[in-house]
Amino acid sequence: MNRRYRKTIIAGNWKMNKTATEGKALLDELKQTIARVKWCEVVVCVPFVDIPMAIRALKDTRIAVGAQNLHQEQSGAYTGEVSASMLKDLGVKYVIIGHSERRQYFGETDSTVNKKIHVALEAGLHPIVCVGETLEQRESGITAELITMQVKAALAGVPAEKIRSIVIAYEPIWAIGTCKTATAEQANEVCELIRATIRKIYGARAARAVTIQYGGSMNAKNAQELLAQPDVDGGLIGGASLKAPDFTTIVEAANQ
Ligand code: PGA
């Protein structure tokens, strides 16, 4: 973390968990335990159908609501899809784009990720853009090239004045939901590389201002060490965001 230059952001990614009723119970608990957060931004990225409940439940708190996806077109005949303006209209602030589960199970590519970033920014949403390598890619030594390419492809055409609205989440695929966390050094190394890539495109000031999260089995035990790294500005938390005590501990680690 480096709060002098950029925001620390802890975002929960509930994935396809929690009905609105269950989610409300979790948020009611979090509202009590996360009441005093001052130094970091807290976000819960909930399923689409939970969004109205979450907006209502979190009114007058410092916890923001995020979505987990959106469609790359602004409107039209795309049955079953949700647009950026629909999210914005509900009061959503953040949206996860290009999560590896979307890339793996729903055919998302660097190109759709790029389009989604553009529609999100146009609607005034803050994209949380996920990048990350598979175990095979890491073992064959192409992590740096791959991540650099994913970041460049994601940001293609994004103007300099919008770059600070974007959060990047480095999520090694081998660490997601596996209890295999990247070491603090591995996480920082890639987050640093992402910042260097942004620096080459947008310059040093912009690179310094962008929040870069780590995600992948971040939990109450390892959060502090990961967040102590200079280029790790927060976390995207899956499993551990579903339990109020664990998520609270992570937020507290970021709020120090
Ligand atoms: P995990 O998920 O914390 O359960 O590994 C992280 C994510 O997929 O965003």
Side-chain angles (χ1 to χ4, degrees):
M1 298 187 281
N2 187 335
R3 274 202 214 99
R4 198 140 78 93
Y5 296 119
R6 47 194 178 255
K7 262 192 200 167
T8 303
I9 304 175
I10 299 293
N13 174 11
W14 290 5
K15 308 193 179 184
M16 197 176 72
N17 294 294
K18 304 281 179 197
T19 63
T21 309
E22 292 161 351
K24 167 106 179 24
L26 174 56
L27 293 180
D28 284 344
E29 221 179 319
L30 288 176
K31 272 198 294 195
Q32 308 295 321
T33 55
I34 305 183
R36 284 178 308 279
V37 13
K38 215 168 155 189
W39 305 111
C40 80
E41 172 117 346
V42 182
V43 187
V44 285
C45 298
V46 305
F48 286 138
V49 294
D50 291 2
I51 290 173
M53 171 284 292
I55 298 279
R56 267 196 310 274
L58 297 174
K59 194 168 170 273
D60 302 324
T61 73
R62 298 175 60 108
I63 307 175
V65 176
Q68 300 172 12
N69 181 33
L70 82 181
H71 193 264
Q72 64 268 29
E73 299 299 333
Q74 285 180 341
S75 64
Y78 302 100
T79 302
E81 292 294 321
V82 171
S83 73
S85 59
M86 291 171 188
L87 296 175
K88 182 71 183 173
D89 183 61
L90 288 177
V92 168
K93 186 167 177 193
Y94 289 88
V95 58
I96 299 173
I97 295 179
H99 189 280
S100 61
E101 286 151 18
R102 301 285 324 164
R103 295 181 193 245
Q104 187 181 347
Y105 305 129
F106 302 98
E108 296 207 7
T109 62
D110 285 340
S111 157
T112 54
V113 167
N114 176 252
K115 288 187 185 140
K116 289 181 179 204
I117 292 171
H118 282 277
V119 289
L121 289 171
E122 268 162 44
L125 297 166
H126 294 277
I128 300 177
V129 182
C130 301
V131 296
E133 80 287 1
T134 62
L135 187 58
E136 201 184 2
Q137 289 163 335
R138 175 163 281 267
E139 284 173 349
S140 52
I142 59 167
T143 301
E145 285 100 315
L146 185 99
I147 300 291
T148 306
M149 199 193 74
Q150 285 181 340
V151 171
K152 283 187 180 165
L155 298 179
V158 172
E161 69 271 15
K162 289 279 168 91
I163 189 68
R164 287 158 203 252
S165 304
I166 295 182
V167 176
I168 311 268
Y170 166 53
E171 297 211 304
I173 295 166
W174 47 271
I176 295 178
T178 55
C179 299
K180 262 194 237 159
T181 318
T183 63
E185 292 71 28
Q186 283 172 327
N188 195 64
E189 190 184 18
V190 180
C191 290
E192 199 180 351
L193 168 82
I194 293 169
R195 200 175 308 286
T197 307
I198 296 172
R199 189 179 304 123
K200 278 196 201 122
I201 312 171
Y202 296 99
R205 289 186 87 188
R208 221 163 45 192
V210 172
T211 297
I212 303 177
Q213 299 174 316
Y214 167 78
S217 299
M218 193 189 261
N219 59 38
K221 287 209 180 82
N222 60 29
Q224 195 160 15
E225 196 191 350
L226 287 159
L227 293 168
Q229 298 296 312
D231 281 292
V232 178
D233 306 315
L236 184 55
I237 326 290
S241 73
L242 300 173
K243 291 175 227 128
D246 294 33
F247 193 59
T248 303
T249 305
I250 297 169
V251 169
E252 278 164 0
N255 194 41
Q256 278 170 21

